[in-house]
Amino acid sequence: RGLGDVGNGTGAGTGIGDIDWGGGGNRVVLNKPLPNYPQGVRASSRMVMQIKVLPDGTVSNVISKKKGDPRLEIATVEALKKWRFNPIDSNIVMIGEVPITFVVK
């Protein structure tokens, strides 16, 4: 849900896919630290995280929509809360889904 224009934001970096805004707009990611792979985890995982982005570009909430290893979820939530998007001039709170893939090599 977002600004009313159709679009998807693209992710960059290994394991981060396109942000799905539900066909309701787009935001530009200005800063997106990647999650740290926790020590002791030996599993690959694909999770889908829902983020709530405030008008000032900060992420106010992160919810796991597709669960994985709890340690990977914690690392991902911590990283996504540090993401920053472009600010907008309206009071619209945008909600998007971010797929995150961890691969053990």
Side-chain angles (χ1 to χ4, degrees):
R1 295 178 294 238
L3 299 175
D5 297 322
V6 175
N8 277 330
T10 57
T14 305
I16 308 287
D18 289 345
I19 300 171
D20 180 2
W21 297 107
N26 194 3
R27 294 289 287 270
V28 177
V29 184
L30 302 176
N31 184 33
K32 58 178 164 186
L34 299 176
N36 293 320
Y37 207 92
Q39 290 184 349
V41 176
R42 302 280 182 246
S44 297
S45 181
R46 183 180 186 279
M47 296 179 287
V48 176
M49 309 300 282
Q50 183 183 72
I51 59 172
K52 184 182 288 187
V53 181
L54 300 177
D56 68 0
T58 60
V59 175
S60 69
N61 197 20
V62 180
I63 298 170
S64 178
K65 299 293 281 183
K66 182 177 178 189
K67 303 244 179 227
D69 184 298
R71 296 167 291 182
L72 293 174
E73 285 185 42
I74 290 168
T76 302
V77 168
E78 289 173 0
L80 289 174
K81 285 185 175 180
K82 295 176 185 173
W83 282 25
R84 295 297 176 260
F85 292 81
N86 63 305
I88 57 175
D89 291 333
S90 67
N91 287 330
I92 296 173
V93 174
M94 293 181 65
I95 297 174
E97 291 188 354
V98 182
I100 308 278
T101 303
F102 290 90
V103 178
V104 175
K105 292 185 178 187

